[in-house]
Amino acid sequence: MTHGATAAEVATALRSAGRVILATHTHPDGDAIGSLVGMRLILEAVGISSRVFVADQDLPLPEELAVYDLGDVVTEDTVDFSDRTVVFLDCGNADRTPLGPRLGEIPVLINIDHHHDNTRFGTMNFVDASASSTAEIVWLLAKELGVPLTPELAEPLYVGLLTDTGRFSYENTTARSHAMAAELIDAGVDLTGVRRRLYEDVLPAKLHLLRYALDSMAIHGDGLLVSARVTAEDFAAAGATEAHAEGIIDVMRVLRGVRVAALARELDREPGTFKVSLRAADPTVDVSAIARFSGGGGHPQAAGFTTSLDDAEMAALILAELAAQDGAGGAA
Ligand SMILES: [Mn+2]
């Protein structure tokens, strides 16, 4: 069965699941962790115990996400799929998990996600591209399963919602997202605590890295594209890690006239290779199509890919893809 499942069908499958493993994509973000933690609590509330899979390379989690209880985490070495139901959350395709080559061993694989280009790799797929976040879908499933929102459940779901909507500023933010936020806040989310942990308490390394990024900033295509890149050397000089790059692109995407922002970060383990984040500042642009052209993926408004191109080559490629989208009937 690979048809799109309904929320009721997913709820039924979850209720009847015996032993559950919850998994997400590599480099888990706020939505990935918020959805895992939320789903674990929801299953617990209906009497189903689950264990969370996190790839070895992703541990330890970034400190702002490590505060949530994932229970006794399983990794590549300890995971056992026999007669398990595996629930993937926020994972658009099998390449985004180290479990990819082993998915065939999984008897029941429930794929719950909001990426519009999700490859439907589950035996049951619940993909709602109109949801701002996977956390939004998990919140809907909590209702479907009759699980009340506790402060403990509400907070991780709020973190998923807040981070995937860029604090309610991206195009994926809807009335339903705000309605969800209102319910979660009523349920007791510590708004001040979440805001401080995720967006304040900033270490100098983060602002130093921002400085290096802005120093490298270049504007291309008569102002349509803004790019910046931080090298491994910049990371070292700033005393920064990958997590400190979070948010830099949001500083860039607000430039007047810009349609796409691109931030490239050199991978520490692969000198000369850059992980590029793309953001659309124009809702008619689909940056996920640009990312897919280069072997990546994501959402229409936020996507990414990996490249060894230099800044000028990368800019030329992005501008060419942008022109191709306009030519294909997109807005001018
Ligand atoms: Mn997400």
Side-chain angles (χ1 to χ4, degrees):
M1 177 174 62
T2 55
H3 74 276
T6 63
E9 285 170 333
V10 173
T12 302
L14 291 173
R15 267 189 199 286
S16 59
R19 305 190 299 160
V20 175
I21 289 174
L22 302 173
T24 185
H25 57 80
T26 52
H27 306 297
D29 55 11
D31 190 29
I33 298 299
S35 297
L36 283 176
V37 173
M39 184 56 88
R40 185 166 169 269
L41 291 170
I42 290 165
L43 290 177
E44 198 175 282
V46 295
I48 292 168
S49 72
S50 61
R51 295 186 73 186
V52 172
F53 170 87
V54 180
D56 272 324
Q57 64 173 67
D58 293 328
L59 294 169
L61 294 173
E63 64 179 308
E64 71 277 14
L65 299 177
V67 296
Y68 297 108
D69 184 15
L70 293 174
D72 190 10
V73 169
V74 287
T75 63
E76 287 90 329
D77 297 336
T78 50
V79 70
D80 169 19
F81 294 130
S82 46
D83 48 86
R84 296 272 180 177
T85 294
V86 179
V87 180
F88 266 94
L89 294 157
D90 201 46
C91 185
N93 67 70
D95 296 338
R96 296 198 69 205
T97 164
L99 298 179
R102 295 183 60 189
L103 294 186
E105 297 169 36
I106 299 170
V108 182
L109 201 175
I110 305 177
N111 172 13
I112 298 173
D113 187 31
H114 70 125
H115 291 85
H116 72 297
D117 57 354
N118 184 294
T119 57
R120 272 83 175 165
F121 58 87
T123 54
M124 176 178 267
N125 298 288
F126 186 42
V127 179
D128 179 357
S130 74
S132 65
S133 51
T134 299
E136 191 171 312
I137 303 175
V138 173
W139 165 71
L140 293 171
L141 288 171
K143 290 176 181 293
E144 192 69 40
L145 286 160
V147 173
L149 292 171
T150 58
E152 195 191 12
L153 171 58
E155 186 168 307
L157 295 180
Y158 186 79
V159 167
L161 174 67
L162 191 68
T163 52
D164 259 28
T165 58
R167 289 186 263 183
F168 306 103
S169 71
Y170 299 154
E171 293 293 324
N172 62 359
T173 308
T174 62
R176 189 173 71 179
S177 317
H178 283 287
M180 171 180 170
E183 278 191 22
L184 298 179
I185 293 166
D186 276 342
V189 174
D190 171 13
L191 290 179
T192 304
V194 169
R195 188 188 73 239
R196 287 207 177 125
R197 184 154 38 78
L198 291 178
Y199 300 109
E200 299 174 9
D201 278 335
V202 166
L203 296 174
K206 188 174 170 105
L207 292 190
H208 283 307
L209 190 68
L210 172 64
R211 185 163 55 79
Y212 283 106
L214 294 182
D215 252 352
S216 78
M217 185 180 85
I219 292 171
H220 311 268
D222 291 327
L224 297 183
L225 168 68
V226 58
S227 70
R229 58 177 49 201
V230 275
T231 63
E233 202 178 322
D234 297 335
F235 274 102
T241 63
E242 172 72 20
H244 294 120
E246 192 70 43
I248 292 178
I249 197 159
D250 295 313
V251 175
M252 296 158 57
R253 70 181 270 278
V254 298
L255 267 183
R256 180 178 291 179
V258 156
R259 298 178 69 199
V260 176
L263 175 68
R265 285 103 67 208
E266 189 171 18
L267 296 176
D268 201 27
R269 57 185 187 278
E270 273 177 78
T273 301
F274 289 78
K275 196 174 152 192
V276 182
S277 294
L278 298 176
R279 291 288 184 281
D282 168 349
T284 68
V285 172
D286 177 3
V287 291
S288 73
I290 300 174
R292 270 196 304 282
F293 181 81
S294 299
H299 302 285
Q301 302 300 304
F305 63 98
T306 300
T307 187
S308 52
L309 297 179
D310 69 23
D311 188 65
E313 293 165 337
M314 182 190 78
L317 180 144
I318 294 170
L319 288 171
E321 286 301 302
L322 202 52
Q325 277 185 28
D326 290 341

